[in-house]
Amino acid sequence: MTGAGRGPEATEAWGGWGFRLRSLVVRRFAALGDLRLGPFAPGLTLLAGPNEAGKSTLLAFWVDMLYDLPAPSRAGEAADPYRPGPGEEWGGEVELETGLGRIRLGRSFQQGRGRRRGRIWLERGGRTQEEAEAEAELSRLLGQVERSDYTTVFAFSLAELAALRQIDAGEVGKRIYSAGFGAAEVPAVEEELERRRSQIWTARSRTRDLDRLLVELTEVERELGAARSELEELEPLRRERERVEEEVRQLEPRLAEAEAEARRLRRLLDLRGRWQEWRLVAGEVEAGRRWAAFPAEAAERLEELQRELGRLESRRRELRAAMDARKSLLEEALPEAVLAAADEVEALLRELPEEQRRQAALEERAGRLEELRREEAALAARLRLDPDELSSLARRLGEGWAEAEAEGRKLAREALQARDRAEAARRRLEELELGERQAAVTAAEGGEEGAPRAGPPAAASLALGLAGLVALAVALLHGPAWTGWIGLLALAVALALALAPGRRHEAELRLRLERERLLLEQERRRLAEVRAAAGREAEEALAGLASWCRQRGLPAGLAPEELESWLLEARRLPGLVAGRRRLEQEQAALRQASQDFAARVAALAERLGAPPGVEALRRRLEDARERRKRREEAARELRALEAELAGLEEESAAREAALRGLLERAGVEEAAELPGAAEQAARWRQREAYLQRIEGELRAGALDVWPAAADPLAELDRQLAAADPARLEAEEQAAARAVEELRARRDRAHQRLGELRLQVEQLERSRRVAELEDREAGLRARLEACAAEWRRLTLALELLAVARDRFERERQPAVLQSASRLFARFTGGRYEAVRVALGDRRLRVYPGRAGAPPLQPWQLSRGTQEQLYLAMRLAYIEEVRRNGGSLPVVIDDALADFDPARLRAALRALGEFARGHQVLLFTCHPHVVEAAREEVPEAQVLELA
């Protein structure tokens, strides 16, 4: 975990490397599919869900998105539940917030035949990075935090929380126990000091440095005594060796001279054949020297000039043909009359859109008139009038119609009211008749004699009560209060009958019934009179309404209830008639304007001899203008063609002059002679190049023989020209024999020199007095130094032991100090500190009560152990943040074994911790969610289905 302490050199946000999780999308991963979560809060977020909701799978997905799939399991290990099977493809994407903005990270995983295939992509600012670049960027954001370290400290579940061995492993353990521990290397120093002191001397061993020095000193003293007696036979051998060395020094330069002379002669013999060829080719080249002035590219230049002259002649013919075509076009006549009438035609063209709009308006108004006429016919049918009468009726509906309309409405209303009163009287009479019949039935039942009974019959009281209810309903719906009084009276009688004590009330009941019958008879007669009067009033009102309709030309037999709707329909008539007349006037004006436009178009077309119609005039004008334009263009083109033709004539003359100059330089009179001359010049240049190549080879060979000569080639030429070949071969053979003889003498001298040197070395080795004396002095000095070093190491160990004891009491690592504070909060002060001894990684937990001995973690309960290890992880993460890094912390149901009080204390501490870190807490316990909402109100809660 090399990135946790980069500190000042970190470059990302929050003081260094790191990121926060914004959202995630699981395309498919194990049992999860098409899952989207987010956005996540920057502080504490709870992901709550029941068992098998996918929390652990989500944690594995998050870790694999950051680090890719882990290496395949070894044979015999349990299968990884989060690894895709053969042919399956898993993957998703996450959105991260970094100091340089948001990025999107995506991975896909696929397991093939024995190997895994995956792909990663990273998008920042609209640009997608390649896999290598994406991996490097992700590694930088992770601060080089390895997968094992991240799952140990930053992303863990309840199982990892209780595993102390994971905290002790690797780089994480070192930082847990030593981060901020200024004397973390003291145990190593002690161990090194003790090791070095033991190497020097110990009372229990005889193989230490001091012991070995004493043994070696004894052996040197013995050898020194034996070596001082050997002093014979050395000087004669030394003199003989010097003589042979001098002989070797004299033979070496003589041999070098002989070898150089032999190489010179051999080289001359080797180069003779090439030298003869060089002289022959040089004569040929000198004989054809006149071809040196021949142009090197005369044939190509001739072909180019001939091609250019042909092209110029072809272009001259094209230009003359084009000039003839333009001249014929200029001779054509122009339609001057059409061009003179251009303003009139353009005026008509400008007016054409208006004419088109007039035509469209005529069509639109024709349609609207047709609709209005159909609407008038429909209105006439609804008003029961002839369509020809509508105009006269519309005029009558003008001034003074409001008073007449009010009068008609009044007559219709009076007729309806009179008819309603007559109808109400009729219904009331029917109701009274029904009441009389029911009263008669009740009276008959009350007068019957028979078996004794406790009270009036239940049927009689029920019937009388129903009659009273009917009368009350009639009074409430239709009219006068007397009907209600009759209903109340009937209900009272029915109640009296129901409560009567027996036969002694029968007489009173009959009297009351008789009085009621008389009252009903009187009311029936009154209602009959009311009905007759209302009928007469209705007939008079209907007669007045019919007279009103006849006077105003309305349809005969118009019923009062139809009058209101008829009047509403009639109100639309004046506007409908006025709109039709306005459209007819507009249609006439448009038709007249259109006819005028057509007349002007026809007159102009006849004058210009064009077919009728604006389009024909436009085409005639465009054709005239096009002809005039073509004539003007032809004139311009003719002038340009004449200028180009003059330029071509000049260029052709220049090419012909260049051709004559080329023939003069080539030394020929006709162009046909130039190719043959070019072939002869080319052959001469080939021989000249071959001569230069031979000359280069000879110069290189001569330089080997005479490296110091001013002109080695001239020296070679001079000597080969003066030398006899037979004499050269004899001299070369003699030089070779001299080299062999000198080499043999040198080899014999070297062999003798080697023998002498071996004898001298053997004698010198037997004379080692000085060396042994030096060794003796050195061994005595080393013995003294070892003793002094042993004394210094012993003193340093004693001083370090005193300092170590004081250091362990007064100073602990920063991580353990933070863990002590968190652990004390989790346990409510039951435990006050977590410490380690200097050089010992085993934790010690110190209770909060005085005098209590420290405990080891295994002596705590399981829940307290989990609280201890959670405090240590959070403390380590704080240390990482202070050194420049911030990564999301994911905790999977790690608070399950906390009791309620410690759970709330831990949640409060996590809430404060989340102010500097993003924390995702997975849980399946509702009480954890409730406690988090109470203790950390700002925490975000997401539900997992």
Side-chain angles (χ1 to χ4, degrees):
M1 187 168 181
T2 58
R6 296 194 302 172
E9 64 271 18
T11 59
E12 276 296 333
W14 308 295
W17 48 270
F19 50 83
R20 292 174 181 152
L21 174 62
R22 284 280 303 169
S23 62
L24 59 83
V25 178
V26 183
R27 305 294 183 198
R28 186 183 178 196
F29 190 84
L32 296 180
D34 295 329
L35 174 63
R36 299 174 181 270
L37 290 176
F40 293 100
L44 177 62
T45 298
L46 277 79
L47 275 78
N51 290 329
E52 299 186 359
K55 298 185 297 299
S56 299
T57 306
L58 196 59
L59 175 59
F61 168 79
W62 166 245
V63 175
D64 286 349
M65 288 300 293
L66 295 182
Y67 292 98
D68 203 350
L69 291 177
S73 302
R74 296 188 299 273
E77 292 187 356
D80 186 357
Y82 304 119
R83 182 182 302 280
E88 293 181 325
E89 184 171 356
W90 295 3
E93 62 186 61
V94 295
E95 184 180 9
L96 307 178
E97 184 78 30
T98 72
L100 300 179
R102 296 180 184 176
I103 65 173
R104 290 174 60 236
L105 169 68
R107 284 188 189 271
S108 61
F109 315 109
Q110 187 174 9
Q111 189 74 23
R113 296 179 178 176
R115 63 186 184 91
R116 176 185 57 77
R117 297 190 300 274
R119 187 178 70 86
I120 179 175
W121 56 267
L122 188 146
E123 179 182 318
R124 182 199 293 274
R127 187 179 75 86
T128 302
Q129 300 178 357
E130 298 296 333
E131 291 199 16
E133 188 179 1
E135 290 284 6
E137 176 71 8
L138 180 58
S139 178
R140 187 176 64 83
L141 291 175
L142 287 168
Q144 308 298 326
V145 174
E146 298 177 358
R147 179 190 183 100
S148 59
D149 299 333
Y150 186 80
T151 55
T152 299
V153 177
F154 291 90
F156 54 88
S157 63
L158 184 62
E160 287 86 6
L161 186 64
L164 177 60
R165 59 182 176 81
Q166 294 189 5
I167 296 181
D168 285 338
E171 185 72 17
V172 175
K174 294 180 182 177
R175 295 190 175 276
I176 289 274
Y177 295 114
S178 301
F181 206 143
E185 300 300 327
V186 168
V189 172
E190 284 184 324
E191 182 178 351
E192 178 64 18
L193 289 176
E194 181 60 36
R195 183 187 64 79
R196 290 170 57 189
R197 188 177 70 164
S198 300
Q199 284 180 347
I200 295 173
W201 182 79
T202 178
R204 295 184 300 273
S205 176
R206 292 294 181 266
T207 60
R208 301 304 179 183
D209 293 348
L210 195 60
D211 299 322
R212 287 196 296 271
L213 286 173
L214 289 172
V215 171
E216 187 176 355
L217 179 60
T218 303
E219 181 64 22
V220 167
E221 289 177 346
R222 184 187 62 78
E223 292 181 4
L224 182 60
R228 284 172 177 167
S229 62
E230 298 177 358
L231 297 174
E232 300 175 356
E233 300 180 1
L234 184 58
E235 286 303 321
L237 289 175
R238 284 178 177 173
R239 287 192 297 271
E240 178 68 14
R241 182 187 65 183
E242 292 174 357
R243 184 188 65 76
V244 175
E245 287 176 349
E246 180 63 24
E247 183 182 356
V248 169
R249 283 195 294 272
Q250 292 176 358
L251 285 174
E252 289 293 344
R254 291 174 60 190
L255 176 61
E257 292 176 0
E259 288 176 344
E261 180 64 16
R263 284 196 301 272
R264 183 184 70 82
L265 294 172
R266 183 72 261 169
R267 191 63 172 159
L268 287 174
L269 287 173
D270 292 340
L271 294 176
R272 180 173 178 78
R274 199 64 169 163
W275 170 75
Q276 292 174 343
E277 184 180 6
W278 172 62
R279 282 203 159 191
L280 178 63
V281 174
E284 296 176 359
V285 169
E286 188 61 29
R289 180 63 62 183
R290 69 184 185 88
W291 296 111
F294 191 88
E297 298 177 355
E300 291 80 357
R301 181 58 178 163
L302 174 65
E303 183 179 356
E304 179 184 354
L305 289 172
Q306 290 176 341
R307 188 168 55 251
E308 286 293 322
L309 287 171
R311 180 185 63 80
L312 292 172
E313 181 60 27
S314 176
R315 181 59 181 163
R316 280 201 301 270
R317 289 193 297 271
E318 293 175 358
L319 289 176
R320 292 190 182 97
M323 291 170 62
D324 294 340
R326 269 57 173 187
K327 290 177 181 178
S328 63
L329 185 62
L330 290 174
E331 295 173 357
E332 295 180 0
L334 288 176
E336 298 294 343
V338 176
L339 292 172
D343 293 340
E344 299 178 53
V345 175
E346 289 177 349
L348 291 175
L349 289 173
R350 288 193 298 271
E351 194 177 345
L352 181 60
E354 182 62 27
E355 172 60 19
Q356 292 172 346
R357 286 193 291 273
R358 282 196 293 268
Q359 294 296 328
L362 282 171
E363 293 179 2
E364 187 264 339
R365 281 163 175 74
R368 289 174 58 189
L369 280 172
E370 183 63 26
E371 291 177 2
L372 288 175
R373 291 190 181 101
R374 286 197 299 270
E375 190 173 353
E376 285 183 359
L379 183 60
R382 290 195 298 273
L383 295 177
R384 291 181 284 182
L385 296 173
D386 190 273
D388 298 335
E389 298 178 359
L390 292 179
S391 298
S392 60
L393 178 59
R395 288 192 298 272
R396 291 197 299 274
L397 293 178
E399 186 176 357
W401 174 251
E403 293 80 1
E405 185 177 349
E407 182 183 357
R409 282 197 176 89
K410 179 181 178 183
L411 291 173
R413 190 165 54 251
E414 290 175 352
L416 290 173
Q417 290 175 355
R419 191 168 61 185
D420 290 343
R421 285 196 299 274
E423 180 65 21
R426 183 187 62 77
R427 287 195 301 270
R428 289 169 187 156
L429 281 172
E430 292 177 356
E431 294 168 358
L432 286 176
E433 290 174 359
L434 176 61
E436 286 179 352
R437 287 195 296 271
Q438 290 176 347
V441 172
T442 302
E445 290 177 353
E448 290 181 356
E449 296 181 0
R453 53 190 176 179
S461 62
L462 180 60
L464 190 57
L466 290 174
L469 289 174
V470 171
L472 281 174
V474 170
L476 291 173
L477 293 173
H478 299 289
W482 58 267
T483 308
W485 289 108
I486 291 175
L488 290 174
L489 181 60
L491 287 175
V493 172
L495 182 60
L497 288 174
L499 300 176
R503 297 177 65 88
R504 65 176 178 272
H505 298 292
E506 186 176 345
E508 298 176 1
L509 178 60
R510 288 179 177 177
L511 289 175
R512 285 195 296 273
L513 290 174
E514 182 62 23
R515 287 195 295 272
E516 292 296 330
R517 187 184 63 76
L518 293 175
L519 290 173
L520 290 173
E521 181 64 24
Q522 293 175 2
E523 180 64 20
R524 185 178 61 76
R525 287 195 295 272
R526 190 185 70 77
L527 287 175
E529 294 173 357
V530 170
R531 179 182 180 185
R536 289 191 296 274
E537 291 178 2
E539 291 175 358
E540 292 174 359
L542 290 173
L545 179 61
S547 175
W548 179 83
C549 291
R550 285 193 301 274
Q551 292 174 3
R552 287 156 179 80
L554 273 64
L558 194 61
E561 58 271 14
E562 298 175 342
L563 180 64
E564 183 67 26
S565 61
W566 193 93
L567 290 174
L568 290 175
E569 291 284 351
R571 286 179 187 173
R572 300 176 56 238
L573 184 59
L576 192 63
V577 172
R580 176 176 56 78
R581 288 175 178 171
R582 184 176 63 255
L583 284 175
E584 289 172 349
Q585 294 172 359
E586 293 175 358
Q587 189 180 38
L590 291 170
R591 188 176 290 112
Q592 182 62 41
S594 181
Q595 290 172 357
D596 294 344
F597 178 78
R600 286 187 282 120
V601 171
L604 182 59
E606 183 179 359
R607 178 156 56 87
L608 298 179
V614 179
E615 286 298 323
L617 290 173
R618 181 183 61 77
R619 287 193 296 272
R620 182 63 61 86
L621 179 60
E622 289 177 353
D623 179 65
R625 286 176 172 173
E626 183 64 26
R627 291 172 64 184
R628 182 174 63 184
K629 181 179 178 181
R630 287 200 301 270
R631 185 170 181 176
E632 293 172 353
E633 290 178 354
R636 287 194 302 271
E637 291 174 357
L638 181 60
R639 290 191 295 272
L641 291 172
E642 290 174 347
E644 185 179 356
L645 180 60
L648 287 176
E649 295 291 347
E650 295 177 1
E651 187 177 357
S652 179
R655 293 292 189 278
E656 290 177 353
L659 177 60
R660 289 192 297 273
L662 178 63
L663 294 177
E664 291 177 0
R665 290 195 306 272
V668 296
E669 296 181 356
E670 299 293 336
E673 300 174 4
L674 193 141
E679 291 180 2
Q680 295 181 15
R683 285 196 296 271
W684 180 84
R685 288 193 177 91
Q686 291 176 356
R687 296 300 289 173
E688 185 184 31
Y690 184 60
L691 176 64
Q692 291 175 356
R693 186 165 65 252
I694 295 174
E695 185 175 325
E697 295 175 2
L698 292 174
R699 190 179 299 277
L703 188 62
D704 290 341
V705 180
W706 299 285
D711 188 354
L713 181 60
E715 182 67 20
L716 176 68
D717 183 47
R718 185 182 62 77
Q719 292 200 17
L720 287 177
D724 181 25
R727 185 173 61 81
L728 276 179
E729 290 181 1
E731 290 178 356
E732 190 272 334
Q733 293 174 0
R737 287 194 295 273
V739 168
E740 291 298 328
E741 292 175 0
L742 288 173
R743 283 178 180 170
R745 290 180 59 188
R746 183 196 61 181
D747 292 342
R748 288 193 296 272
H750 275 296
Q751 182 178 1
R752 177 58 180 162
L753 180 61
E755 294 173 354
L756 292 172
R757 284 176 177 172
L758 178 61
Q759 293 177 5
V760 170
E761 288 176 1
Q762 290 176 350
L763 289 175
E764 286 178 346
R765 278 199 300 271
S766 64
R767 299 288 306 263
R768 298 175 57 204
V769 175
E771 293 179 3
L772 291 175
E773 288 176 347
D774 292 341
R775 283 187 62 192
E776 180 186 23
L779 287 173
R780 294 186 182 278
R782 287 173 62 189
L783 279 171
E784 182 61 30
C786 282
E789 178 69 11
W790 187 87
R791 291 192 296 272
R792 285 194 300 270
L793 292 173
T794 301
L795 179 60
L797 282 171
E798 292 175 356
L799 294 175
L800 194 58
V802 174
R804 171 180 175 169
D805 182 62
R806 181 180 177 184
F807 193 89
E808 289 180 354
R809 292 194 308 271
E810 297 178 357
R811 188 174 178 188
Q812 284 289 309
V815 171
L816 293 179
Q817 292 178 10
S818 298
S820 298
R821 289 192 294 271
L822 289 169
F823 189 47
R825 289 190 61 182
F826 292 169
T827 60
R830 183 179 179 87
Y831 300 96
E832 66 176 4
V834 181
R835 299 174 186 165
V836 293
L838 195 60
D840 185 3
R841 286 193 175 184
R842 289 177 296 176
L843 287 173
R844 296 291 188 272
V845 180
Y846 290 81
R849 61 185 183 276
L855 303 175
Q856 296 186 30
W858 61 266
Q859 295 176 292
L860 304 174
S861 66
R862 185 178 64 179
T864 307
Q865 289 182 34
E866 294 167 1
Q867 293 148 22
L868 168 63
Y869 300 141
L870 176 61
M872 293 182 65
R873 280 174 168 85
L874 296 182
Y876 174 68
I877 295 170
E878 279 290 346
E879 179 69 14
V880 170
R881 186 180 68 83
R882 284 193 292 270
N883 283 281
S886 178
L887 296 175
V889 181
V890 186
I891 305 174
D892 183 10
D893 236 343
L895 310 181
D897 294 333
F898 288 28
D899 60 48
R902 295 189 179 183
L903 172 64
R904 291 180 176 273
L907 287 172
R908 286 193 297 271
L910 277 177
E912 297 176 4
F913 177 80
R915 293 171 186 168
H917 301 270
Q918 185 181 34
V919 179
L920 277 69
L921 176 59
F922 295 0
T923 182
C924 62
H925 300 288
H927 71 277
V928 175
V929 179
E930 294 175 3
R933 283 174 170 158
E934 293 175 2
E935 299 298 334
V936 191
E938 68 274 12
Q940 179 187 24
V941 179
L942 300 178
E943 298 289 342
L944 288 175

